[in-house]
Amino acid sequence: MSTVWLQIGQCGNQVGQQWWDIVTRDEARRVFQAADGKLSALCVDSEPKVIRRLRKEVQHGIFRDSNTILGRGGRGGSWALGYHGPPDSSHTDLVTATMESFRKEVERRDSFCGVVILHSLSGGTGSGLGSRLCEVIREEYPLGQVLAVTVCPHRAGENPVQNYNALLCLARLDRFADGVLLFHNDEALCRGAQPGDGSRSLTAMNSHIARCLAGLLTPVSNLHARSGVSIGLEPWELLRSVCPVPAIKFLHSAQANTRTMCWDGLVSSLLRSVLTRSPSGQAVSFPLLPDRLSARDAALCEGRCYWSTALLAVARGASPGPGPGSGLSSLYSLRTRLSRGYNCVTWNPRPVEYWSDPKNIIDVALPSRSLTVCANHSSVAEYMQHVVGRARAMYQAGAYLHWYWRHGCEESDFLQAFQQLSCVEQEYSTAVGSV
């Protein structure tokens, strides 16, 4: 009722397909529909194949035909080509057509609070066109909020210019978005892949991202109106909860699901999955609870410098709140354990917010429980350093820059992006002094 969903590029539409597959099988889908039953979603891509597949596999007739916007050629994996477009008019037509459909969708809303953008950092359409549309939406709808759901590429490399694309896109998102929920492909592969089923790893990764989104953004009982009806405020209440400082807006999500475990056990399971990094830079997972640390993990923990300014915990399923039969000793205990596990700053008096809903949309089997956490987590500073370092080394060597100069990029675009992400790193470094 209050949100428009914008899926951009191959990755954005593939994640969107998994997201709508979860949402449309439940009555909660009404929150994401207009009065005529069509989804408030725009599917945008410079090539048709992914969107055609999405429209076939998601429930027939649920997408509005006019909200499917297709280009006539790809964007070559280049942010510059995605942002500025080819020399002909096809790019201008793509942006114009998207914004016209977006305007009509906003006018169908009872109220418009903002837009959720699904896209990636690696591809030309997701990074370049995604940046351009985010910028245009911010300019034309300044009172609406923008939440970007952004998929980061594998560190080993998917595209030779992926660090350029990530650099330029992240800089635009920092300027024009109110929050950026980052999902890393390497982490999604570990969380989503099924043992012995490597052939479905991409689908499993997208499914993991979609399940995390469902855990965070589908209706919860805490935000229902007095009539018991949800108006879809979850994305914007999430931003209010986890972005207490506007300059610090990059978010991380984690999730644990179970059909057998009690809530306290589910909290422990989720905390064990929190990522940290050894002094050598190698990513490791280990339990953060002091009484369960091995000697090796304790040594690694000494070098841990990750922290959170705020986090939101969303519990779904049987007996989601503290009380008899819930297995959750108290809400205070939950908040305390999450605050310590995520190393929350001391200057925020209420760093942990809690939502719940008796229905677990992620797993319809009964009984089942899920716990999803969205944290404003300082691990993004390390990722920014990685992107800036790789991109700067390539830039100083002049590698692949002709791909950007020929499509309208200028030296100032790179210099401003380097400065912008350096400022993001500095903001996180400044806040860490209060942990």
Side-chain angles (χ1 to χ4, degrees):
M1 295 181 185
S2 65
T3 304
V4 176
W5 295 75
L6 178 57
Q7 305 167 190
I8 305 172
Q10 177 177 335
C11 179
N13 282 287
Q14 287 176 336
V15 172
Q17 176 180 335
Q18 298 289 335
W19 157 257
W20 294 121
D21 183 59
I22 294 173
V23 170
T24 56
R25 68 190 182 198
D26 187 85
E27 62 181 10
R29 64 190 251 181
R30 291 178 295 181
V31 176
F32 308 103
Q33 293 176 327
D36 61 359
K38 302 290 186 180
L39 293 175
S40 299
L42 281 75
C43 304
V44 183
D45 202 353
S46 55
E47 296 178 305
K49 59 181 180 181
V50 174
I51 292 182
R52 287 175 179 170
R53 186 182 310 119
L54 180 149
R55 297 186 66 180
K56 289 180 180 178
E57 296 184 6
V58 178
Q59 185 175 344
H60 178 69
I62 204 168
F63 284 101
R64 197 181 307 279
D65 291 338
S66 60
N67 285 359
T68 300
I69 301 99
L70 300 174
R72 295 195 296 268
R75 294 299 180 260
S78 168
W79 182 91
L81 185 55
Y83 185 87
H84 295 285
D88 59 27
S89 62
S90 61
H91 179 74
T92 303
D93 293 342
L94 190 60
V95 174
T96 302
T98 300
M99 292 308 300
E100 178 64 14
S101 294
F102 186 85
R103 178 187 63 80
K104 292 178 180 179
E105 199 58 50
V106 169
E107 293 174 352
R108 294 186 185 101
R109 304 293 86 219
D110 298 324
S111 64
F112 174 66
C113 293
V115 56
V116 178
I117 300 176
L118 307 178
H119 72 121
S120 74
L121 291 180
S122 179
T125 304
S127 65
L129 183 58
S131 299
R132 178 70 178 277
L133 290 173
C134 180
E135 183 176 345
V136 174
I137 289 171
R138 171 59 74 200
E139 292 174 353
E140 296 192 11
Y141 300 89
L143 298 182
Q145 299 186 76
V146 178
L147 172 61
V149 178
T150 304
V151 180
C152 305
H154 293 286
R155 293 203 177 202
E158 303 173 7
N159 179 342
V161 293
Q162 68 180 35
N163 292 300
Y164 282 160
N165 294 342
L167 171 81
L168 295 165
C169 186
L170 287 170
R172 288 302 199 282
L173 293 176
D174 185 56
R175 289 176 59 189
F176 299 110
D178 296 286
V180 183
L181 181 54
L182 294 175
F183 289 94
H184 299 269
N185 271 348
D186 293 314
E187 184 177 349
L189 181 63
C190 297
R191 300 285 182 266
Q194 300 297 323
D197 192 15
S199 62
R200 296 184 59 196
S201 60
L202 181 60
T203 300
M205 289 163 57
N206 293 333
S207 179
H208 166 74
I209 296 172
R211 289 196 305 269
C212 287
L213 292 179
L216 293 172
L217 303 183
T218 51
V220 293
S221 57
N222 305 65
L223 302 181
H224 285 176
R226 291 184 178 180
S227 62
V229 176
S230 171
I231 59 175
L233 293 177
E234 283 74 14
W236 322 123
E237 287 298 308
L238 180 145
L239 291 180
R240 180 194 60 78
S241 301
V242 299
C243 297
V245 180
I248 302 177
K249 62 181 69 172
F250 292 89
L251 313 175
H252 175 271
S253 180
Q255 186 178 86
N257 298 284
T258 185
R259 295 184 182 180
T260 58
M261 200 179 298
C262 66
W263 283 109
D264 278 336
L266 200 60
V267 173
S268 299
S269 176
L270 186 139
L271 288 178
R272 291 191 192 100
S273 71
V274 176
L275 287 176
T276 190
R277 203 160 287 275
S278 68
S280 64
Q282 182 179 3
V284 295
S285 288
F286 64 91
L288 295 178
L289 303 180
D291 59 336
R292 299 187 183 182
L293 286 175
S294 66
R296 174 178 176 275
D297 291 337
L300 291 175
C301 191
E302 291 178 0
R304 181 167 69 93
C305 59
Y306 287 177
W307 50 269
S308 300
T309 58
L311 62 91
L312 169 68
V314 185
R316 298 180 184 273
S319 302
S326 70
L328 184 60
S329 53
S330 71
L331 187 55
Y332 175 79
S333 172
L334 169 69
R335 285 179 165 148
T336 300
R337 295 180 66 188
L338 289 175
S339 179
R340 290 176 179 173
Y342 275 86
N343 201 24
C344 289
V345 295
T346 57
W347 50 259
N348 188 349
R350 290 180 60 86
V352 180
E353 186 155 345
Y354 173 78
W355 296 348
S356 66
D357 194 81
K359 180 183 294 184
N360 183 15
I361 191 173
I362 301 165
D363 184 359
V364 295
L366 294 175
S368 66
R369 297 183 174 100
S370 70
L371 180 63
T372 312
V373 170
C374 180
N376 199 323
H377 200 244
S378 66
S379 59
V380 69
E382 189 274 338
Y383 180 67
M384 296 289 183
Q385 292 173 1
H386 169 80
V387 169
V388 170
R390 293 289 183 88
R392 193 184 298 278
M394 293 175 61
Y395 183 81
Q396 291 174 346
Y400 300 107
L401 288 176
H402 61 286
W403 289 10
Y404 292 78
W405 304 151
R406 71 171 61 174
H407 295 300
C409 255
E410 300 178 354
E411 185 178 6
S412 60
D413 293 320
F414 282 90
L415 297 181
Q416 290 174 5
F418 284 127
Q419 182 179 10
Q420 188 89 20
L421 296 196
S422 296
C423 289
V424 173
E425 292 181 43
Q426 183 60 39
E427 291 288 347
Y428 277 91
S429 300
T430 301
V432 75
S434 300
V435 174

